[in-house]
Coordinates of all heavy atoms in Angstrom, one line a residue:
M1 N 81.2 189.5 352.8 CA 80.6 189.8 351.6 C 80.2 191.3 351.6 O 79.5 191.7 352.6 CB 79.3 188.9 351.3 CG 78.7 189.2 350.0 SD 77.4 188.0 349.6 CE 76.1 188.4 350.8
S2 N 80.5 192.1 350.6 CA 80.2 193.5 350.5 C 79.0 193.7 349.6 O 78.8 193.0 348.6 CB 81.4 194.2 350.0 OG 81.1 195.6 349.7
T3 N 78.2 194.7 350.0 CA 77.1 195.1 349.1 C 77.5 196.4 348.3 O 76.7 196.8 347.5 CB 75.8 195.3 349.9 OG1 76.1 196.3 350.9 CG2 75.3 194.0 350.5
S4 N 78.7 196.9 348.6 CA 79.1 198.1 347.8 C 79.5 197.7 346.4 O 80.1 196.6 346.3 CB 80.3 198.8 348.5 OG 79.9 199.1 349.9
P5 N 79.2 198.5 345.4 CA 79.7 198.1 344.1 C 81.2 198.1 344.0 O 81.9 199.0 344.4 CB 79.1 199.3 343.2 CG 78.1 199.9 344.0 CD 78.5 199.7 345.5
P6 N 81.8 197.0 343.5 CA 83.2 196.9 343.4 C 83.7 197.7 342.3 O 83.0 197.9 341.3 CB 83.4 195.4 343.1 CG 82.2 194.9 342.5 CD 81.1 195.8 343.1
T7 N 84.9 198.1 342.4 CA 85.5 198.9 341.3 C 86.4 198.0 340.4 O 86.7 198.4 339.2 CB 86.4 200.1 341.8 OG1 87.4 199.5 342.7 CG2 85.5 201.1 342.6
S8 N 86.8 196.8 340.9 CA 87.5 195.9 340.1 C 87.4 194.5 340.7 O 87.1 194.4 341.9 CB 89.0 196.3 340.0 OG 89.6 196.2 341.2
A9 N 87.7 193.5 339.9 CA 87.7 192.1 340.3 C 88.5 191.3 339.3 O 88.5 191.6 338.1 CB 86.3 191.6 340.5
E10 N 89.1 190.2 339.8 CA 89.7 189.3 338.9 C 88.7 188.6 338.0 O 88.9 188.4 336.8 CB 90.6 188.3 339.6 CG 91.5 187.4 338.8 CD 92.4 186.5 339.6 OE1 92.4 186.6 340.8 OE2 93.1 185.7 339.0
V11 N 87.6 188.2 338.6 CA 86.5 187.5 337.9 C 85.2 188.2 338.3 O 84.9 188.4 339.4 CB 86.5 186.0 338.1 CG1 85.3 185.4 337.4 CG2 87.8 185.4 337.8
V12 N 84.4 188.5 337.3 CA 83.0 189.0 337.5 C 82.1 188.0 337.0 O 82.1 187.7 335.8 CB 82.8 190.4 336.9 CG1 81.4 190.9 337.1 CG2 83.8 191.4 337.4
V13 N 81.2 187.5 337.9 CA 80.1 186.6 337.5 C 78.8 187.4 337.4 O 78.5 188.1 338.3 CB 80.0 185.5 338.5 CG1 78.9 184.5 338.2 CG2 81.3 184.7 338.7
V14 N 78.2 187.3 336.3 CA 76.9 188.0 336.1 C 75.8 187.1 336.4 O 75.6 186.0 335.8 CB 76.8 188.5 334.6 CG1 75.5 189.2 334.4 CG2 78.0 189.4 334.3
G15 N 75.0 187.4 337.5 CA 73.8 186.6 337.8 C 74.0 185.9 339.1 O 74.9 185.1 339.3
G16 N 73.2 186.2 340.1 CA 73.3 185.7 341.5 C 72.3 184.5 341.7 O 71.6 184.5 342.7
G17 N 72.3 183.6 340.7 CA 71.5 182.4 340.9 C 72.4 181.2 341.2 O 73.5 181.4 341.6
L18 N 71.8 180.1 341.0 CA 72.5 178.8 341.3 C 73.8 178.7 340.5 O 74.9 178.4 341.0 CB 71.6 177.6 341.0 CG 72.2 176.2 341.2 CD1 72.4 175.9 342.6 CD2 71.3 175.2 340.5
E19 N 73.7 179.0 339.2 CA 74.9 178.9 338.4 C 76.0 179.9 338.7 O 77.1 179.5 338.8 CB 74.5 179.0 336.9 CG 73.5 178.0 336.4 CD 74.1 176.6 336.2 OE1 75.4 176.5 336.3 OE2 73.4 175.7 336.0
G20 N 75.6 181.1 338.9 CA 76.6 182.1 339.3 C 77.2 181.8 340.6 O 78.4 182.0 340.8
G21 N 76.4 181.4 341.6 CA 76.9 181.1 342.9 C 77.8 179.9 342.9 O 78.9 179.9 343.5
A22 N 77.5 178.9 342.1 CA 78.3 177.7 342.0 C 79.6 178.0 341.3 O 80.7 177.5 341.7 CB 77.5 176.6 341.2
A23 N 79.5 178.9 340.3 CA 80.8 179.2 339.6 C 81.7 180.0 340.5 O 82.9 179.7 340.5 CB 80.4 180.0 338.3
A24 N 81.2 181.0 341.2 CA 82.0 181.8 342.1 C 82.6 180.9 343.2 O 83.8 181.0 343.6 CB 81.1 182.9 342.8
W25 N 81.8 180.0 343.8 CA 82.3 179.1 344.8 C 83.4 178.2 344.3 O 84.5 178.0 344.9 CB 81.2 178.2 345.4 CG 81.6 177.3 346.4 CD1 81.8 177.5 347.7 CD2 81.9 175.9 346.2 NE1 82.2 176.4 348.4 CE2 82.3 175.4 347.5 CE3 82.0 175.0 345.1 CZ2 82.7 174.0 347.7 CZ3 82.3 173.7 345.3 CH2 82.7 173.2 346.6
A26 N 83.2 177.6 343.1 CA 84.2 176.7 342.5 C 85.5 177.5 342.2 O 86.6 176.9 342.4 CB 83.7 176.1 341.2
L27 N 85.4 178.7 341.8 CA 86.6 179.5 341.6 C 87.4 179.7 342.9 O 88.6 179.6 342.9 CB 86.3 180.9 341.0 CG 85.8 180.9 339.5 CD1 85.2 182.2 339.1 CD2 87.0 180.6 338.6
T28 N 86.7 180.1 344.0 CA 87.4 180.3 345.2 C 88.0 179.0 345.7 O 89.1 179.0 346.3 CB 86.4 180.8 346.3 OG1 85.4 179.9 346.6 CG2 85.8 182.2 345.9
Q29 N 87.4 177.8 345.4 CA 87.9 176.6 345.8 C 89.2 176.3 345.1 O 90.1 175.5 345.6 CB 87.0 175.4 345.6 CG 85.7 175.5 346.4 CD 86.0 175.4 347.9 OE1 86.6 174.4 348.4 NE2 85.7 176.5 348.6
R30 N 89.4 176.9 343.9 CA 90.6 176.7 343.1 C 91.6 177.9 343.3 O 92.5 178.0 342.6 CB 90.2 176.6 341.7 CG 89.6 175.2 341.4 CD 88.7 175.3 340.1 NE 88.2 174.0 339.8 CZ 87.1 173.4 340.4 NH1 86.5 174.1 341.4 NH2 86.7 172.3 340.1
G31 N 91.4 178.7 344.3 CA 92.4 179.7 344.7 C 92.1 181.1 344.1 O 92.9 182.0 344.4
I32 N 91.0 181.3 343.3 CA 90.7 182.6 342.8 C 89.7 183.2 343.7 O 88.5 182.9 343.6 CB 90.2 182.5 341.3 CG1 91.2 181.8 340.5 CG2 89.9 183.8 340.8 CD1 90.7 181.4 339.1
T33 N 90.1 184.1 344.6 CA 89.3 184.6 345.6 C 88.7 186.0 345.3 O 87.8 186.4 346.0 CB 90.0 184.6 347.0 OG1 91.2 185.3 346.9 CG2 90.3 183.2 347.4
D34 N 89.3 186.6 344.3 CA 88.8 188.0 344.0 C 87.7 187.9 343.0 O 87.9 188.1 341.8 CB 90.0 188.8 343.4 CG 89.6 190.3 343.2 OD1 88.5 190.7 343.7 OD2 90.4 190.9 342.4
V35 N 86.6 187.4 343.4 CA 85.4 187.1 342.6 C 84.3 188.0 343.0 O 84.0 188.0 344.2 CB 85.0 185.6 342.6 CG1 83.8 185.3 341.7 CG2 86.2 184.7 342.3
T36 N 83.6 188.6 342.1 CA 82.5 189.4 342.4 C 81.2 188.9 341.6 O 81.4 188.6 340.4 CB 82.7 190.9 342.0 OG1 83.7 191.4 342.8 CG2 81.5 191.7 342.2
I37 N 80.1 188.8 342.3 CA 78.9 188.4 341.6 C 78.1 189.7 341.5 O 77.8 190.4 342.5 CB 78.1 187.4 342.4 CG1 78.9 186.1 342.5 CG2 76.7 187.1 341.8 CD1 78.2 185.0 343.4
V38 N 77.6 190.0 340.3 CA 76.7 191.2 340.1 C 75.3 190.6 339.8 O 75.2 189.7 339.0 CB 77.2 192.1 339.0 CG1 78.5 192.8 339.4 CG2 77.4 191.4 337.7
E39 N 74.4 191.2 340.4 CA 73.0 190.7 340.3 C 72.1 192.0 340.1 O 72.1 192.9 340.9 CB 72.6 190.0 341.6 CG 71.1 189.7 341.8 CD 70.5 188.9 340.6 OE1 71.1 187.9 340.2 OE2 69.5 189.4 340.1
R40 N 71.2 191.9 339.1 CA 70.4 193.1 338.8 C 69.2 193.2 339.7 O 68.6 194.3 339.8 CB 69.9 193.0 337.3 CG 69.0 191.8 337.1 CD 68.5 191.7 335.6 NE 67.8 190.5 335.4 CZ 67.4 190.1 334.2 NH1 67.8 190.8 333.1 NH2 66.7 189.0 334.0
D41 N 68.8 192.1 340.4 CA 67.7 192.2 341.3 C 68.2 191.8 342.7 O 68.9 192.5 343.3 CB 66.6 191.2 340.7 CG 65.2 191.4 341.4 OD1 65.2 192.2 342.4 OD2 64.3 190.8 341.0
T42 N 67.7 190.7 343.2 CA 68.3 190.2 344.5 C 68.8 188.8 344.2 O 68.3 188.1 343.3 CB 67.2 190.2 345.6 OG1 66.1 189.4 345.1 CG2 66.7 191.6 345.9
V43 N 69.7 188.4 345.1 CA 70.3 187.0 344.9 C 69.2 186.0 345.0 O 68.3 186.1 345.9 CB 71.4 186.8 346.0 CG1 71.8 185.3 346.1 CG2 72.6 187.7 345.8
G44 N 69.1 185.1 344.1 CA 68.1 184.0 344.1 C 66.8 184.5 343.6 O 65.8 183.7 343.8
S45 N 66.7 185.6 343.0 CA 65.4 186.1 342.5 C 64.9 185.5 341.2 O 63.7 185.6 340.8 CB 65.5 187.7 342.3 OG 66.5 188.0 341.4
G46 N 65.8 184.8 340.5 CA 65.4 184.1 339.3 C 64.8 182.7 339.5 O 64.2 182.5 340.6
G47 N 65.1 181.8 338.6 CA 64.6 180.5 338.7 C 65.0 179.8 340.0 O 64.3 179.0 340.6
T48 N 66.2 180.1 340.5 CA 66.8 179.5 341.7 C 65.8 179.7 342.9 O 65.5 178.7 343.6 CB 68.2 180.0 342.0 OG1 69.0 179.7 340.9 CG2 68.7 179.5 343.3
G49 N 65.4 180.9 343.1 CA 64.5 181.2 344.3 C 63.2 180.6 344.1 O 62.5 180.1 345.1
K50 N 62.7 180.5 342.8 CA 61.4 180.0 342.6 C 61.3 178.5 342.8 O 60.2 177.9 343.0 CB 60.9 180.4 341.2 CG 60.7 181.9 341.0 CD 60.3 182.2 339.6 CE 60.0 183.7 339.5 NZ 61.2 184.6 339.7
S51 N 62.4 177.8 342.6 CA 62.4 176.3 342.7 C 63.1 175.8 343.9 O 63.3 174.6 344.0 CB 63.1 175.8 341.4 OG 64.4 176.1 341.4
S52 N 63.6 176.6 344.8 CA 64.5 176.1 345.9 C 63.8 175.2 346.8 O 64.5 174.4 347.6 CB 65.1 177.3 346.7 OG 64.1 178.1 347.2
G53 N 62.5 175.1 346.8 CA 61.8 174.2 347.7 C 61.6 172.8 347.0 O 61.1 171.9 347.7
V54 N 62.0 172.7 345.8 CA 61.8 171.5 345.0 C 63.0 170.6 345.0 O 64.1 171.0 344.5 CB 61.3 171.8 343.6 CG1 61.0 170.5 342.8 CG2 60.1 172.7 343.6
V55 N 63.0 169.5 345.6 CA 64.1 168.5 345.6 C 63.6 167.2 345.2 O 62.9 166.5 345.9 CB 64.8 168.4 347.0 CG1 66.0 167.4 346.9 CG2 65.3 169.8 347.5
R56 N 63.9 166.8 343.9 CA 63.3 165.6 343.4 C 64.4 164.8 342.7 O 65.3 165.3 342.2 CB 62.1 165.8 342.5 CG 62.5 166.5 341.2 CD 61.3 166.7 340.3 NE 61.7 167.5 339.1 CZ 61.4 167.1 337.9 NH1 60.7 166.0 337.7 NH2 61.8 167.9 336.9
C57 N 64.2 163.5 342.6 CA 65.1 162.6 341.9 C 64.3 161.7 341.0 O 64.9 160.7 340.5 CB 65.9 161.7 342.9 SG 67.0 162.7 344.0
H58 N 63.1 162.0 340.8 CA 62.3 161.1 339.9 C 62.2 161.7 338.5 O 61.5 162.7 338.3 CB 60.9 161.0 340.5 CG 60.0 160.1 339.7 ND1 58.6 160.3 339.6 CD2 60.3 159.0 339.0 CE1 58.1 159.3 338.9 NE2 59.1 158.5 338.5
Y59 N 63.0 161.1 337.6 CA 63.1 161.6 336.2 C 62.9 160.4 335.3 O 63.3 159.3 335.6 CB 64.4 162.3 335.9 CG 64.6 163.6 336.6 CD1 65.2 163.7 337.9 CD2 64.2 164.8 336.1 CE1 65.4 164.9 338.6 CE2 64.4 166.0 336.7 CZ 65.0 166.0 338.0 OH 65.1 167.2 338.6
G60 N 62.4 160.7 334.1 CA 62.2 159.7 333.1 C 63.4 159.3 332.4 O 63.5 158.2 331.8
V61 N 64.4 160.2 332.5 CA 65.7 159.9 331.8 C 66.7 159.5 332.8 O 66.9 160.2 333.8 CB 66.2 161.2 331.0 CG1 67.5 160.9 330.3 CG2 65.1 161.6 330.1
S62 N 67.4 158.3 332.6 CA 68.2 157.7 333.7 C 69.4 158.6 334.0 O 69.8 158.7 335.1 CB 68.7 156.3 333.3 OG 69.4 156.4 332.0
S63 N 70.0 159.3 333.0 CA 71.1 160.2 333.2 C 70.7 161.3 334.2 O 71.5 161.7 335.1 CB 71.7 160.7 331.9 OG 70.8 161.4 331.2
L64 N 69.5 161.9 334.0 CA 69.1 163.0 334.8 C 68.8 162.5 336.2 O 69.2 163.1 337.2 CB 67.8 163.6 334.3 CG 67.9 164.5 333.1 CD1 66.5 165.0 332.7 CD2 68.8 165.7 333.5
A65 N 68.3 161.3 336.3 CA 68.0 160.7 337.7 C 69.3 160.5 338.4 O 69.4 160.7 339.6 CB 67.2 159.4 337.5
A66 N 70.4 160.0 337.7 CA 71.7 159.8 338.3 C 72.3 161.1 338.8 O 72.8 161.2 339.9 CB 72.6 159.1 337.3
M67 N 72.2 162.2 337.9 CA 72.7 163.5 338.3 C 71.9 164.0 339.6 O 72.5 164.6 340.5 CB 72.6 164.5 337.2 CG 73.6 164.3 336.1 SD 73.8 165.7 335.0 CE 72.2 165.7 334.2
A68 N 70.6 163.8 339.6 CA 69.8 164.3 340.7 C 70.2 163.6 342.0 O 70.3 164.2 343.1 CB 68.3 164.2 340.4
T69 N 70.4 162.3 341.9 CA 70.8 161.5 343.1 C 72.2 162.0 343.6 O 72.3 162.2 344.8 CB 70.9 160.0 342.7 OG1 69.6 159.6 342.2 CG2 71.2 159.2 343.9
R70 N 73.1 162.2 342.7 CA 74.4 162.7 343.1 C 74.3 164.1 343.8 O 74.9 164.4 344.8 CB 75.4 162.8 342.0 CG 75.9 161.5 341.5 CD 77.1 160.9 342.3 NE 78.2 161.8 342.5 CZ 79.2 162.0 341.6 NH1 79.2 161.2 340.5 NH2 80.2 162.8 341.8
S71 N 73.5 164.9 343.2 CA 73.2 166.3 343.7 C 72.6 166.2 345.1 O 73.0 167.0 345.9 CB 72.4 167.1 342.7 OG 73.0 167.2 341.5
L72 N 71.7 165.3 345.3 CA 71.0 165.2 346.6 C 72.0 164.9 347.7 O 71.9 165.4 348.8 CB 69.9 164.2 346.5 CG 69.0 164.0 347.7 CD1 68.3 165.4 348.0 CD2 68.0 162.9 347.6
E73 N 73.0 164.0 347.4 CA 74.0 163.7 348.3 C 74.8 164.9 348.7 O 75.1 165.2 349.9 CB 75.0 162.6 347.7 CG 74.3 161.3 347.6 CD 75.2 160.3 346.7 OE1 76.3 160.7 346.4 OE2 74.7 159.3 346.3
T74 N 75.1 165.8 347.7 CA 75.9 167.0 348.0 C 75.0 168.0 348.8 O 75.4 168.6 349.8 CB 76.3 167.7 346.7 OG1 77.1 166.7 346.0 CG2 77.0 169.0 346.9
F75 N 73.7 168.1 348.4 CA 72.8 169.0 349.1 C 72.6 168.6 350.5 O 72.7 169.5 351.4 CB 71.4 168.9 348.3 CG 70.4 169.8 348.9 CD1 70.5 171.2 348.8 CD2 69.3 169.3 349.6 CE1 69.5 172.0 349.3 CE2 68.3 170.1 350.2 CZ 68.4 171.5 350.0
Ligands
LIG1 C1 59.1 176.1 339.5 C2 60.5 175.6 339.1 C3 60.8 174.3 339.4 C4 62.1 173.8 339.0 N1 62.4 172.5 339.4 C5 63.6 172.1 339.2 C6 64.0 170.8 339.7 O1 63.3 170.0 340.3 N2 65.3 170.4 339.4 C7 66.2 171.1 338.7 O2 67.3 170.7 338.5 N3 65.8 172.4 338.3 C8 64.6 172.8 338.5 N4 64.2 174.1 338.0 C9 65.2 174.8 337.2 C10 66.3 175.5 338.1 O3 65.6 176.2 339.1 C11 67.0 176.4 337.2 O4 67.6 175.7 336.1 C12 68.2 177.1 338.0 O5 67.8 177.6 339.2 C13 68.7 178.2 337.1 O6 69.8 178.8 337.7 P1 70.5 179.9 337.1 O7 71.6 180.4 338.0 O8 71.0 179.5 335.7 O9 69.4 181.1 336.8 P2 68.6 182.0 337.8 O10 68.4 181.4 339.1 O11 67.5 182.5 337.0 O12 69.7 183.2 338.0 C14 70.0 184.1 337.0 C15 70.2 185.4 337.7 O13 70.9 186.3 336.8 C16 70.3 187.6 337.0 N5 70.6 188.3 335.8 C17 70.2 188.0 334.6 N6 70.7 188.9 333.7 C18 71.5 189.8 334.4 C19 72.2 190.9 334.1 N7 72.3 191.3 332.8 N8 72.9 191.6 335.0 C20 72.8 191.1 336.3 N9 72.1 190.0 336.7 C21 71.4 189.4 335.8 C22 68.9 187.3 337.3 O14 68.2 188.4 338.0 C23 68.9 186.1 338.2 O15 68.9 186.3 339.5 C24 63.0 174.6 338.3 C25 62.6 175.9 338.0 C26 61.4 176.5 338.4 C27 61.0 177.9 338.0

């Protein structure tokens, strides 16, 4: 991983949070490896960093509870 500003990339992901990181990872898993994440602050400085200590599966909506349970298995 480079910290130098890239001059080009096949895909540029804006935002180094959970969504940006997941998108970049998924792209590389599908063979697109020239992916750059640009972040205006530091990686994880948004909601991702503020909530990273929270792992819960207790939700009032069953679909959310199911997604959280699946996510916990991956985590
Ligand atoms: C206290 C708290 C508790 C939470 N608890 C839960 C929970 O229990 N379960 C759950 O599923 N979710 C929870 N969340 C929500 C979850 O954390 C967020 O939905 C998720 O982290 C958002 O990820 P993101 O990548 O979309 O955004 P972020 O993590 O905010 O990342 C966006 C990034 O983009 C960068 N950015 C923005 N604009 C630009 C730009 N123009 N150029 C460059 N970079 C830019 C920002 O600096 C930031 O780093 C919680 C959130 C908080 C704050």
Side-chain angles (χ1 to χ4, degrees):
M1 185 172 68
S2 171
T3 55
S4 303
T7 55
S8 67
E10 190 174 355
V11 178
V12 177
V13 177
V14 179
L18 176 72
E19 297 289 348
W25 179 83
L27 286 166
T28 62
Q29 294 301 298
R30 288 158 177 78
I32 302 171
T33 56
D34 185 15
V35 180
T36 294
I37 299 176
V38 292
E39 168 55 51
R40 66 182 171 188
D41 192 354
T42 57
V43 170
S45 59
T48 298
K50 293 179 176 65
S51 67
S52 59
V54 182
V55 180
R56 66 179 177 130
C57 294
H58 184 211
Y59 291 90
V61 181
S62 60
S63 58
L64 282 179
M67 283 196 292
T69 302
R70 286 282 304 277
S71 299
L72 186 60
E73 291 166 9
T74 302
F75 180 72

